[in-house]
């Protein structure tokens, strides 16, 4: 029964991501048809994507013993008042536990991957800084899920461990406006969550290195 519920949850999550991508492409097509100023990418509907390299600050074990792989997101936003936007999006981040940094013996290696999936709502405000730049401030908040795969899980015949929590993330984004309704950006943000990686996620009582 547990495996069945996990499969159903995976199907629902993947379906939501596919639906968001389809809606995004449809909205992007509509936006291109309605856009009149190629130097102003702020239309009624915005499709935002980002790729960031996450940096851990609060979890001391992960900060010292993991490698940050990626933090990517895809969002759909709608202007509801002047330069204010409401949106929804999907966010994924990945970390790997470094057995080298842990100095693990071959028989004790974790080979652990940490996957974080998040569905969020977003409130954004845009400020024009001339013809070339736009500044965005936003706050994201929603539910995230941590899914951890590791050698101890495999030994026990499990695909991994999972748990859910909540998160919110304030962000500051500087856009360089471009042609063809596109722009490039520099992003800095901070994420706060009550869902964190612990030794129990890989069936350990504590970590030693």
């Amino acid at each position: 029964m547990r495996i069945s519920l996990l499969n159903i949850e995976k199907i629902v999550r993947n379906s939501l991501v596919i639906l968001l991508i389809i809606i995004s492409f449809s909205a992007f097509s509509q936006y291109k048809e309605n856009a009149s100023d190629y130097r102003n990418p702020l239309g009624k509907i915005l499709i935002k994507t980002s790729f960031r390299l996450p940096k851990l600050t609060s979890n001391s074990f992960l900060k010292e013993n993991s490698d940050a792989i990626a933090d990517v997101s895809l969002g759909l936003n709608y202007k509801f008042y002047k330069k204010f936007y409401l949106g929804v999006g999907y966010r994924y981040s990945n970390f790997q536990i470094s057995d080298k940094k842990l100095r693990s013996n071959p028989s004790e290696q974790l080979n652990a991957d940490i996957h974080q999936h998040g569905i969020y709502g977003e409130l954004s405000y845009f400020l024009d800084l001339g013809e070339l730049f736009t500044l965005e401030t936003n706050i994201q908040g929603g539910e995230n899920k941590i899914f951890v795969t590791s050698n101890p899980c495999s030994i026990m015949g499990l695909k991994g461990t999972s748990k859910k929590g909540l998160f919110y993330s304030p962000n500051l984004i500087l856009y360089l406006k471009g042609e063809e309704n596109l722009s490039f950006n520099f992003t800095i943000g901070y994420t706060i969550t009550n869902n964190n990686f612990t030794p129990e996620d890989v069936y350990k009582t504590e970590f030693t290195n």
Side-chain angles (χ1 to χ4, degrees):
M1 184 66 178
R2 182 180 180 183
I3 295 177
S4 177
L5 289 174
L6 286 174
N7 288 337
I8 292 174
E9 184 176 356
K10 183 178 180 181
I11 292 172
V12 171
R13 186 178 67 244
N14 291 341
S15 299
L16 287 173
V17 174
I18 293 172
L19 180 60
L20 181 60
I21 293 173
I22 293 173
I23 293 174
S24 297
F25 276 113
S26 299
F28 181 65
S29 299
Q30 179 182 357
Y31 168 66
K32 288 190 68 176
E33 292 175 1
N34 295 336
S36 57
D37 183 0
Y38 75 93
R39 287 306 242 174
N40 181 16
L42 296 180
K44 265 289 189 184
I45 296 175
L46 296 180
I47 293 88
K48 297 191 295 184
T49 61
S50 70
F51 176 86
R52 299 185 287 190
L53 293 177
K55 182 176 178 61
L56 292 160
T57 57
S58 59
N59 189 313
S60 58
F61 173 80
L62 287 182
K63 184 178 179 180
E64 297 174 1
N65 301 290
S66 71
D67 297 317
I69 306 301
D71 184 336
V72 297
S73 65
L74 171 65
L76 177 65
N77 297 73
Y78 179 80
K79 181 192 292 187
F80 71 96
Y81 178 73
K82 293 185 177 179
K83 296 184 179 180
F84 287 93
Y85 285 76
L86 284 175
V88 294
Y90 169 77
R91 183 175 177 180
Y92 169 79
S93 58
N94 178 225
F95 300 87
Q96 291 181 347
I97 302 298
S98 173
D99 288 300
K100 182 178 180 180
K101 293 178 181 178
L102 282 172
R103 298 188 294 275
S104 303
N105 295 324
S107 60
E108 297 177 345
Q109 290 189 353
L110 296 175
N111 191 28
D113 267 323
I114 304 170
H115 307 270
Q116 292 188 353
H117 304 270
I119 299 294
Y120 61 85
E122 180 181 62
L123 174 64
S124 305
Y125 175 77
F126 289 83
L127 177 65
D128 284 324
L129 301 177
E131 294 184 358
L132 293 178
F133 297 100
T134 296
L135 184 68
E136 175 193 356
T137 59
N138 70 52
I139 180 80
Q140 299 173 350
E143 181 184 76
N144 69 349
K145 176 182 177 180
I146 292 181
F147 183 74
V148 182
T149 61
S150 65
N151 282 342
C153 291
S154 299
I155 292 172
M156 298 182 68
L158 301 174
K159 292 183 177 180
T161 60
S162 64
K163 56 186 178 182
K164 294 180 180 180
L166 301 176
F167 79 96
Y168 70 93
S169 175
N171 300 277
L172 187 65
I173 307 169
L174 180 65
Y175 291 92
L176 172 62
K177 301 174 186 178
E179 298 183 5
E180 299 298 331
N181 307 314
L182 296 175
S183 63
F184 304 93
N185 65 74
F186 173 79
T187 304
I188 185 171
Y190 191 82
T191 300
I192 301 171
T193 178
N194 63 352
N195 196 11
N196 217 335
F197 177 76
T198 63
E200 289 78 12
D201 294 325
V202 289
Y203 293 96
K204 297 280 187 179
T205 56
E206 63 179 359
F207 292 121
T208 58
N209 65 349

